[in-house]
């Protein structure tokens, strides 16, 4: 699947799975401003740093003004999907620099450093089936639903209209789910 074209200034409804190259071809090369290229370069750098710190990042959901018709986007919104085992392994290594980077990426702290990246982490719990009595897996499903719902909305002064799903987001497979 290729990265979709914008409709009415936004990504079309749904989660659109695509590659990093497809996203770059669709949204970055003809960047109308240097700012769009700068944001993309920062995101690629952060993604590489997280891969180094964690060993791998399964995927990243992307949204925000970067993927809109806004001529000069404010930032790129991203949600890194990281296997819980990777986070547990990082905790066991006691690498404060790597742990600090992942913490900042998980809590919106990257943006507070002045970067144009609003990032968070979704802890992926790879288990077969859906067990409602597993608190870790249940939390994963709640968090996944939260982000899916949030990124399907478009802010509006009409609160009802702002609550209705009206746009989509991208899922970029980085190292893939395995």
């Amino acid at each position: 699947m290729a990265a979709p074209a914008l409709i009415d200034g936004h990504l079309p409804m749904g989660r659109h799975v695509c590659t990093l190259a497809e996203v770059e071809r669709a949204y970055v090369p003809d960047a109308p401003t240097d700012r769009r290229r700068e944001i993309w370069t920062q995101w690629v750098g952060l993604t590489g740093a997280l891969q180094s710190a964690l060993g791998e990042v399964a995927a990243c959901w992307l949204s925000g003004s970067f993927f809109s018709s806004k001529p000069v986007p404010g930032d790129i919104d991203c949600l890194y999907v990281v296997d819980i085992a990777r986070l547990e392994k990082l905790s066991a290594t006691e690498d404060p620099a790597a742990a600090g980077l992942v913490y900042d990426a998980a809590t919106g702290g990257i943006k507070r450093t002045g970067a144009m990246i609003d990032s968070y982490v979704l802890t992926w719990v790879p288990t077969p089936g859906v067990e409602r009595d597993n608190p870790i897996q249940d939390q994963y499903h709640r968090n996944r639903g939260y982000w899916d719902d949030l990124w399907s909305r478009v802010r509006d002064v009409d609160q009802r209209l702002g609550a209705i799903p009206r746009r989509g987001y991208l899922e970029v497979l980085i190292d893939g789910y395995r």
Side-chain angles (χ1 to χ4, degrees), residues 51-170:
Q51 284 177 291
S52 293
L54 293 163
E56 71 179 36
V57 173
C60 188
W61 291 5
L62 298 171
S63 186
S65 63
F66 190 88
F67 301 100
S68 74
S69 58
K70 190 173 182 180
V72 181
D75 64 9
I76 190 169
D77 296 343
C78 62
L79 179 69
Y80 290 99
V81 182
V82 177
D83 189 321
I84 192 169
R86 295 286 171 178
L87 294 168
E88 290 169 347
K89 184 177 179 182
L90 176 62
S91 294
T93 65
E94 298 181 19
D95 180 344
L101 172 70
V102 172
Y103 177 81
D104 285 346
T107 60
I110 298 296
K111 189 164 186 173
R112 288 189 295 274
T113 68
M116 294 173 282
I117 304 168
D118 196 6
S119 67
Y120 297 89
V121 168
L122 172 64
T123 303
W124 174 46
V125 182
T127 56
V130 180
E131 299 174 26
R132 298 293 301 171
D133 60 346
N134 179 330
I136 294 171
Q137 187 178 2
D138 196 42
Q139 184 63 49
Y140 161 71
H141 289 121
R142 278 196 304 273
N143 290 343
R144 185 178 175 100
Y146 166 83
W147 287 104
D148 177 79
D149 183 72
L150 178 71
W151 282 4
S152 296
R153 298 173 183 224
V154 177
R155 289 187 189 122
D156 199 287
V157 292
D158 178 340
Q159 290 184 350
R160 172 122 177 105
L161 192 55
I164 296 171
R166 296 187 292 157
R167 70 173 174 180
Y169 57 93
L170 304 175

Side-chain angles (χ1 to χ4, degrees), residues 19-41:
T19 67
L20 186 64
E22 289 168 337
V23 174
E24 188 164 7
R25 266 194 310 274
Y27 305 106
V28 183
D30 298 329
T33 65
D34 290 337
R35 182 166 174 110
R36 190 173 292 275
R37 173 60 68 183
E38 183 182 356
I39 292 170
W40 184 251
T41 300

